[in-house]
Amino acid sequence: MIASLRISLTVPCERFDLELEWQTEEPALGLFGPSGAGKTTLLEALAGLRRGARGRIEVGGRTWLDTARGLRLPPEARRVGYVPQEILLFPH
């Protein structure tokens, strides 16, 4: 359960830069939009898998990313489960 989520983020993409300012105290959330809108990019940034992400991510009062301070919590320390929708997730 998410106690709070605060995001101030810029993530460079191929065709555009994803920019997001958002915060919530809701315990659950859904993310939807058209193909190519940046949903996967945002999830990868939250999970710590997008190295080009700049800004700040705070979850439950704990800072995961703060590029102004040089803080970048590694993916394994974020305790986030992420399964991509790639068909070749398990090539065997």
Side-chain angles (χ1 to χ4, degrees), residues 14-58:
E14 278 184 35
R15 296 178 290 147
F16 62 93
D17 284 354
L18 175 67
E19 294 186 0
L20 178 66
E21 284 281 337
W22 191 62
Q23 69 179 44
T24 185
E25 301 291 326
E26 296 298 322
L29 59 98
L31 183 62
F32 60 93
S35 180
K39 300 177 301 293
T40 299
T41 299
L42 173 59
L43 292 174
E44 288 175 351
L46 284 170
L49 303 174
R50 279 287 177 131
R51 298 297 293 168
R54 300 182 312 269
R56 183 175 172 85
I57 299 172
E58 183 182 307

Side-chain angles (χ1 to χ4, degrees), residues 84-92:
Q85 62 185 16
E86 300 296 321
I87 294 171
L88 296 176
L89 177 61
F90 301 108
H92 55 284

